[in-house]
Amino acid sequence: NKLMSEQNSVYTELLRLETPPKLIADFRRQAKELAPERNGESIIPGRVVFGGFVNPDTRSAQQEASIQEASEAAAERRNQAMENRTKKGEFEAIRRLEQEVTARMQKLAANKRNARKAKGK
């Protein structure tokens, strides 16, 4: 305890400190004057938006809109692909019909020629 008696305790040191009976009211005013300027935009009175902050609700609404646009574009591409397949099928059907008609005409012409040759003999 000899060491404790030579040194003052923390409690006794704190008791020696002077504390003002009343807090300084001007401190808040000084703090406002010394505060740096705010670099933000005031969208709503009393609210300041810093650093390009975007409300998550707004962001999710934008995401939903972009998802909707993407789904509409995908549906449009599917419709166009279906139309292209339909057109291609129609063109192939027409080409087959033309080939069949041409083959039939050639066969009839060949039969006619053969019939003339047979008459002529």
Side-chain angles (χ1 to χ4, degrees):
N1 260 344
K2 191 176 191 183
L3 185 61
M4 288 293 266
S5 63
E6 290 176 8
Q7 293 178 347
N8 293 331
S9 68
V10 174
Y11 178 73
T12 56
E13 288 295 324
L14 287 174
L15 285 177
R16 288 184 191 167
L17 290 176
E18 287 186 33
T19 53
K22 183 178 176 185
L23 291 175
I24 304 169
D26 293 335
F27 178 73
R28 285 190 176 179
R29 282 190 219 121
Q30 290 173 354
K32 284 184 181 179
E33 291 171 3
L34 296 176
E37 279 189 37
R38 293 182 178 172
N39 294 330
E41 300 175 12
S42 178
I43 298 172
I44 300 172
R47 297 201 177 194
V48 179
V49 177
F50 290 100
F53 172 79
V54 177
N55 189 343
D57 293 337
T58 305
R59 189 173 295 138
S60 66
Q62 290 171 346
Q63 287 174 345
E64 288 177 11
S66 66
I67 289 169
Q68 181 67 25
E69 289 176 11
S71 66
E72 289 173 1
E76 182 66 29
R77 284 194 301 273
R78 282 193 301 271
N79 290 340
Q80 286 178 352
M82 183 64 90
E83 288 175 12
N84 289 341
R85 281 193 294 267
T86 304
K87 286 179 185 176
K88 187 176 181 182
E90 289 173 358
F91 287 139
E92 288 176 359
I94 290 171
R95 188 178 49 199
R96 268 186 272 123
L97 287 173
E98 287 176 349
Q99 287 175 346
E100 289 174 8
V101 168
T102 304
R104 188 171 180 196
M105 286 171 52
Q106 288 174 349
K107 186 177 179 183
L108 288 174
N111 285 341
K112 206 173 190 182
R113 274 194 311 270
N114 290 338
R116 281 189 206 150
K117 284 184 184 178
K119 262 189 181 181
K121 287 185 175 180

